[in-house]
Amino acid sequence: MKEGRLFVISAPSGAGKSTLIERLRALSPDLAYSISCTTRQPRGDEKDGIHYYFLSRDRFETMIRNDEFLEFKEVHGNFYGTPAEPVAEVLKRGGSIILDIDVMGALEVFKRVRNAVGVFISAPDMEALEKRLRARGTDSEASIQTRMRNAVREIEIGSSFQYQIVNDDLERAVKDLASIIRKESGLS
Ligand code: ADP
Ligand code: 5GP
């Protein structure tokens, strides 16, 4: 029987993970993507049920109590969690699924899901990271500062992931990510 893989993609905020995943999804429409729950406010043109499930703190805490998360963490001052059921469903039918989560959540998933594959994305350096966060134009100054502070520890933890991609040239980084997914899904 076909066996699906769970891919965990992590990066410091601003490294370009969302951009890369969006490109990957256009290339591989069959790949499933886990939609996380979060207590943070929608940013830019984010839509509920597409980018995230935007939940109240109360609703999120109820889901924690009901053990509905594969993992959940507090990241940059808000709660984020991966609903367990959709992930289990995709893997059960032999499909592969991508999780876009923070490094601490990733470590949790590596403990709980056999054969999960970790891919850590980084910007070429801290200066480029800060520049990208500012260029994105969606985060307050305080949020940019929090994200830059957290990046140091994230990069440290990310160095233990199975795969590392430096997102300097976007086209090359997309190709690298796509080839990791193909290889680990047994497609090449
Ligand atoms: P993340 O999801 O990791 O927080 P985003 O995908 O939102 O990051 O990217 C942050 C900003 O950096 C965006 O404005 C995006 O267009 C830009 N970006 C992404 N990849 C590159 C790249 N290779 N070179 C330059 N800018 C990039
Ligand atoms: P953002 O607020 O920029 O969308 O995401 C902030 C961080 O939270 C990113 O590192 C993102 O990968 C992470 N994140 C998003 N969803 C989840 C989740 O379900 N669980 C965990 N642990 N982190 C998540």
Side-chain angles (χ1 to χ4, degrees):
M1 201 174 111
K2 190 176 135 201
E3 193 184 3
R5 296 305 285 273
L6 187 158
F7 294 93
V8 181
I9 305 189
S10 297
S13 182
K17 175 167 45 99
S18 311
T19 309
L20 275 170
I21 292 178
E22 202 176 304
R23 292 285 302 272
L24 177 74
R25 292 181 76 183
L27 286 175
S28 318
D30 291 344
L31 211 51
Y33 178 82
S34 161
I35 302 172
S36 293
C37 298
T38 183
T39 59
R40 87 151 159 74
Q41 293 298 309
R43 194 168 63 200
D45 61 359
E46 287 177 331
K47 301 264 181 308
D48 185 55
I50 295 177
H51 298 94
Y52 281 105
Y53 296 110
F54 294 100
L55 305 182
S56 67
R57 191 83 170 216
D58 268 6
R59 175 76 188 110
F60 199 99
E61 283 171 1
T62 303
M63 287 183 71
I64 296 174
R65 277 196 301 276
N66 293 344
D67 203 18
E68 291 179 60
F69 290 118
L70 173 61
E71 61 74 40
F72 68 91
K73 294 283 167 218
E74 190 170 353
V75 189
H76 314 314
N78 289 296
F79 278 105
Y80 294 80
T82 306
E85 180 71 31
V87 173
E89 213 168 89
V90 171
L91 294 176
K92 201 170 142 198
R93 66 171 157 79
S96 288
I97 185 161
I98 297 220
L99 269 55
D100 165 353
I101 64 176
D102 89 302
V103 286
M104 298 310 290
L107 297 183
E108 201 68 38
V109 171
F110 298 151
K111 277 192 242 156
R112 295 182 69 167
V113 180
R114 190 179 59 90
N115 280 343
V117 177
V119 183
F120 188 74
I121 316 277
S122 54
D125 52 46
M126 297 303 273
E127 208 184 325
L129 186 66
E130 187 163 356
K131 223 163 141 185
R132 287 181 192 177
L133 276 174
R134 291 189 189 288
R136 185 165 72 184
T138 52
D139 301 272
S140 66
E141 184 56 33
S143 165
I144 291 174
Q145 294 306 328
T146 309
R147 283 158 196 260
M148 287 303 295
R149 266 196 312 277
N150 292 345
V152 178
R153 185 163 154 67
E154 288 165 344
I155 292 166
E156 228 173 81
I157 297 171
S159 65
S160 68
F161 279 35
Q162 190 175 346
Y163 291 99
Q164 319 284 326
I165 295 177
V166 178
N167 178 21
D168 40 13
D169 177 70
L170 181 62
E171 298 310 317
R172 202 221 66 252
V174 170
K175 273 192 198 145
D176 287 356
L177 181 57
S179 78
I180 290 168
I181 307 280
R182 269 199 312 275
K183 176 172 163 234
E184 294 291 345
S185 312
L187 298 174
S188 67

